[in-house]
Every structure is written in structure tokens, then in C-alpha cells.
Amino acid sequence: PETSSSVMARFPSLRFSLHWALFLGLSACTGAPLQVPLAYQPDAAAPVATAASRVAVAEVRAPRNLRDLGTVSGPLGLHPHPLLSELPPEQAVRNVAEGALMARGLLAPTGAQQFDLDVQIRRLRAEQAAGGEAEADFLITLKRHGSGDIVYSRETKSLKRDSSLYTIDTLSFAPTAGLSTLLEQSATEAVTKALDDPAFRTAVQG
């Protein structure tokens, strides 16, 4: 089977830019929003059709107001700041899914797919107080392209924690970048749990 390393070797221009960094303009006002760019953006290396590349990401859906991803506060819960995403979470998760499919040699060029992958975002949140925590909950469905017949469906969840992440209860602070990493890891793991499921691989070969 083709590995991520071999894919990178075949596509030297493919680089995943994992800029999920948090940014906060220092402010004397508590509750100022912190923006999470959610800018998981694979570079424009086009997928190449192979016998295995059969899947394209079709629809990514999210609840309303999902740009409110959680809160960041100090260890005592004082001065909470909402976490807001700049890039729509649907686009960020689409990029994660396409990157994971390409790394496994499964991503089909536009219009050449045999299967459509749908992702329903049920939950995507990050919190930071005494420690950092990020959670992703996705419903991932694989449909036969054209007929829409469902050949695979699974809810996947991922929860990442890091007790070393904390902030200080002050009126103005910049959160640690580690929370960004947790958020990226939870979203990626939720997607890859489905893609690496033997039942998914069997469905793709059908």
C-alpha cells in the first residue's frame, strides 16, 4: 500500500500548511474575541488518477454559528474570551478530508470520482483554562457517485487534551499556540478514523 511518505515523494509540491494558530490583539477589554484562522490549506498539487483514486469530497455541512468554537480563559475561569474562526469550519474540514484522501492515494481528480464523501460536522470545539482541550465529532458518509447510494457511514469522534496548556487570568493575554495544534489534531483524527476503517476500504473497492 502507498504511504504518506511515498505520496510526498511523488508530489514534491504537496505541503500541508497547518496554520491553525490563534491570534489575539491585546485589549484592555475582557471578552474580546480570539480568532482561529482554521487555515488548513493543502497546496495546489492536483491529484493524479490511479486505480485507487476513486473518492472526491462532495458536501461538508456544519451547524449554524459554528464559527463560535469555544472559549479561552485563565485557570480560574476569569475573563473568558470566545474563540471565533476566520476560515469557515466547513472549508477547513474539507481541506483536512482532501489532504487525508490524497495522502492515501484515494483522492480522485474533479469529475473522475466513483464515490462522493460527505462530512457532517456535529461538533468542533476547543477550550482552554487550566488545560487545553479540543473535540471533533463528524458523521462521515460515502456514497456511490451518480446514484447517491450509501455504501459506508460512520460517526467518528476525537478528543485531545494537554494539561500543560494554560493561560493567565489577566485582562489582556495571548493564548498558547498549543491549543491550535490540539484542534487540528482532533479534526484530522476524526477524519482518518473513517478513512482507515477496513469497512471504508472495502466499500471503496466495491
Side-chain angles (χ1 to χ4, degrees):
E2 190 168 32
T3 66
S4 298
S5 297
S6 62
V7 169
M8 290 302 239
R10 288 200 301 115
F11 300 106
S13 63
L14 177 60
R15 295 291 184 272
F16 295 144
S17 181
L18 305 180
H19 300 304
W20 291 57
L22 305 180
F23 296 97
L24 170 66
L26 297 183
S27 169
C29 176
T30 61
L34 312 183
Q35 297 206 330
V36 186
L38 294 183
Y40 185 109
Q41 295 279 18
D43 289 343
V48 177
T50 67
S53 56
R54 300 181 172 191
V55 185
V57 180
E59 184 178 15
V60 180
R61 302 185 304 277
R64 290 184 178 181
N65 301 322
L66 186 62
R67 289 195 178 193
D68 180 0
L69 295 177
T71 58
V72 170
S73 66
L76 300 179
L78 304 178
H79 314 307
H81 293 249
L83 283 173
L84 304 177
S85 65
E86 290 180 355
L87 185 70
E90 299 95 326
Q91 184 60 54
V93 172
R94 175 182 294 275
N95 293 342
V96 168
E98 289 181 345
L101 285 168
M102 182 177 284
R104 288 159 176 77
L106 296 173
L107 183 64
T110 303
Q113 74 268 32
Q114 298 180 37
F115 299 93
D116 295 320
L117 187 76
D118 291 346
V119 182
Q120 180 182 345
I121 305 172
R122 294 186 167 178
R123 187 174 178 84
L124 185 63
R125 290 188 63 81
E127 306 284 344
Q128 186 167 321
E133 178 176 298
E135 179 182 9
D137 182 350
F138 301 155
L139 177 63
I140 297 177
T141 304
L142 186 69
K143 299 178 180 178
R144 197 172 296 278
H145 183 66
S147 69
D149 293 339
I150 296 175
V151 297
Y152 175 89
S153 184
R154 178 183 174 183
E155 181 178 12
T156 59
K157 299 180 180 181
S158 177
L159 177 64
K160 297 292 185 180
R161 292 191 175 101
D162 188 341
S163 60
S164 69
L165 303 181
Y166 65 91
T167 53
I168 301 173
D169 280 312
T170 61
L171 292 181
S172 59
F173 62 90
T176 61
L179 185 61
S180 303
T181 300
L182 290 182
L183 188 60
E184 181 266 320
Q185 288 175 348
S186 64
T188 300
E189 184 175 274
V191 169
T192 57
K193 279 183 177 180
L195 302 191
D196 293 338
D197 184 349
F200 180 90
R201 293 305 183 99
T202 298
V204 168
Q205 298 305 318

